[in-house]
């Protein structure tokens, strides 16, 4: 009997607690759900046959603005693009997955003509029969590409139209160029390796910074007029490390072991604070109207070819404060009207070789053959008071 009364008391207590648990002053109106719906949790659209059905030339086609994402790897089909973007205002997130081409396929991602506001990011695009990403051929559309690995595509890895932004991408083993950027584009923090064309090529007025191009079968960087390259590295490419046309600025770059020149620049080049070493021909070569200053060039002219640390083939250049060491020729000036000052040369087969009708500071051996030891504040006497002198040491 006592046990039964105890059970009844417990049930009554629980019932009383449950009765007190509710809101004594509930809000007015219809009670609404408190859970978020699926559209709020994931507002993006998955790439699928239901949401982005393909057409005659594409496995999937995006025809409306919005944010789209992959839910798994996509394998292409012969004679088709993987994903075609045919709408303005589209973000395509590969979501860490791969777009995989097959023999006879077209582009991995094809951007149609006359669209804009396109971003492609975060995945692998490989083995397509044409470009990995193509927003250039026919369309020339500005796009943003970030964190994409374009690999083993039959033409270019990434092709972007004018005024594009390409950052933190990897382009490897493509049959054409690794990255092609239209005029006025920005390419940053990208790595290009073992492409059969150029590592990175661009139209005029592009900015390329903190990029690396290694083992391309053509140029490491091949840039058009008025481009700027900063803090880039070009190594072991089969043509020039950096090939630049008119009016380009090349700053703080490193070029080494390229089969032609480390840096080859045209009219009006500005080349400063670069290191160029062990290239088969010249470390830095320019034509006319160049400013070449504060560079370090050593052991160029490696192998059977002949090369100079700095070599200008035209006139009216300024060659100032460069250090050239161990080259076939230290500084070689072919044309007339150049100013050559404050350079230092050591261990070159010929330290300085200037054609007639150039202006230069005194050329002299800046140190005696054996220098005395120095202790404390004692100074070694100099052999020239000419502030513009070119020194061999």
């Amino acid at each position: 009997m006592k046990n039964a009364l105890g059970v009844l008391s417990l049930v009554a207590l629980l019932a009383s607690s449950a009765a007190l648990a509710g809101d004594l002053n509930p809000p007015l109106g219809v009670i609404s759900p408190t859970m978020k719906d699926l559209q709020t949790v994931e507002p993006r659209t998955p790439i699928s046959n239901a949401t982005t059905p393909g057409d005659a030339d594409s496995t999937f086609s995006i025809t409306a603005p919005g944010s789209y994402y992959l839910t798994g790897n996509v394998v292409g089909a012969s004679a088709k693009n993987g994903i075609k973007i045919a709408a303005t205002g589209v973000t395509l997130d590969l979501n860490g997955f791969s777009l995989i081409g097959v023999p006879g396929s077209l582009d991995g991602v094809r951007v149609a003509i006359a669209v804009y506001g396109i971003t492609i990011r975060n995945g692998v695009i490989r083995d397509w029969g044409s470009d990995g990403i193509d927003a250039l051929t026919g369309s020339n559309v500005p796009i943003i590409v970030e964190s994409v690995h374009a690999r083993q595509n039959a033409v270019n890895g990434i092709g972007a139209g004018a005024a594009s932004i390409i950052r933190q991408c990897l382009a490897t083993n493509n049959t054409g160029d690794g990255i092609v950027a239209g005029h006025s584009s920005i390419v940053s923090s990208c790595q290009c390796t073992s492409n059969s064309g150029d590592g990175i090529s661009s139209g005029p007025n592009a900015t390329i910074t903190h990029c690396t191009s290694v083992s391309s079968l053509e140029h490491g960087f091949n840039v058009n007029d008025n481009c700027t390259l900063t803090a880039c590295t070009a190594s072991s490419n089969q043509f020039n490390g950096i090939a630049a046309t008119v009016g380009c600025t090349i700053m703080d770059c490193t070029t080494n072991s390229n089969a032609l020149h480390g840096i080859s620049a045209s009219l009006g080049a500005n080349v400063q604070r670069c290191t160029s070493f062990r290239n088969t021909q010249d470390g830095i070569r320019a034509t006319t109207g160049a400013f070449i200053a504060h560079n370090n060039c050593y052991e160029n002219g490696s192998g059977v070819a002949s090369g100079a640390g700095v070599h200008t083939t035209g006139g009216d250049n300024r060659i100032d404060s460069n250090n050239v060491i161990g080259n076939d020729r230290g500084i070689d000036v072919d044309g007339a009207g150049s100013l050559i000052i404050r350079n230092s040369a050591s261990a070159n087969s010929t330290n300085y070789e200037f054609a007639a009708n150039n202006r230069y500071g005194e050329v002299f051996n800046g140190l005696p053959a054996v220098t005395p030891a120095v202790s404390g504040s004692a100074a070694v006497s100099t052999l020239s008071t000419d502030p513009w002198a070119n020194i061999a040491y």
Side-chain angles (χ1 to χ4, degrees), residues 70 72-75 94-100 123-126 128:
L70 291 187
N73 294 334
V74 170
V75 178
L94 303 180
N95 209 25
F97 294 108
S98 296
L99 286 174
I100 305 168
V124 177
I125 304 176
R126 64 178 176 87
W128 290 88

Side-chain angles (χ1 to χ4, degrees), residues 295-298 309-310 321-332 340-354 363-367 389-393:
N295 301 290
N296 187 35
C297 302
Y298 66 96
V310 175
S321 302
N322 300 284
N323 187 42
V324 290
I325 304 171
N327 307 281
D328 292 331
R329 302 178 311 285
I331 295 178
D332 185 356
I340 309 119
I341 55 175
R342 297 186 297 199
N343 299 287
S344 57
S346 178
N348 304 283
S349 298
T350 303
N351 284 323
Y352 297 106
E353 190 169 297
F354 306 155
V363 177
F364 77 107
N365 288 321
L367 295 174
N390 299 289
I391 303 169
Y393 65 98

Side-chain angles (χ1 to χ4, degrees), residues 200 202 208 219 221-229 240-250 261-271 285-287:
I200 297 176
S202 77
I208 302 173
H219 304 294
F221 298 86
N222 189 6
V223 300
N224 219 312
D225 297 355
N226 309 315
C227 287
T228 298
L229 279 78
N240 299 307
I242 298 172
T245 58
V246 174
C248 290
T249 295
I250 303 166
H261 312 299
I263 298 171
S264 178
S266 188
L267 177 70
N270 181 7
V271 183
R285 172 181 283 215
T287 57

Side-chain angles (χ1 to χ4, degrees), residues 170-249:
L170 181 62
T172 59
N173 299 100
N174 299 286
T175 304
D177 298 338
I179 295 172
V180 183
H183 73 77
S184 306
S185 292
I186 298 173
V187 184
S188 64
S189 301
C190 293
Q191 166 83 32
C192 297
T193 303
S194 300
N195 298 287
S196 297
D198 301 322
I200 297 176
S201 65
S202 77
N205 305 307
T207 298
I208 302 173
T209 180
H210 292 90
C211 292
T212 300
S213 182
V214 178
S215 300
S216 298
L217 295 187
E218 295 186 12
H219 304 294
F221 298 86
N222 189 6
V223 300
N224 219 312
D225 297 355
N226 309 315
C227 287
T228 298
L229 279 78
T230 56
C232 292
T233 299
S235 177
S236 301
N237 301 286
Q238 293 303 303
F239 287 8
N240 299 307
I242 298 172
T245 58
V246 174
C248 290
T249 295

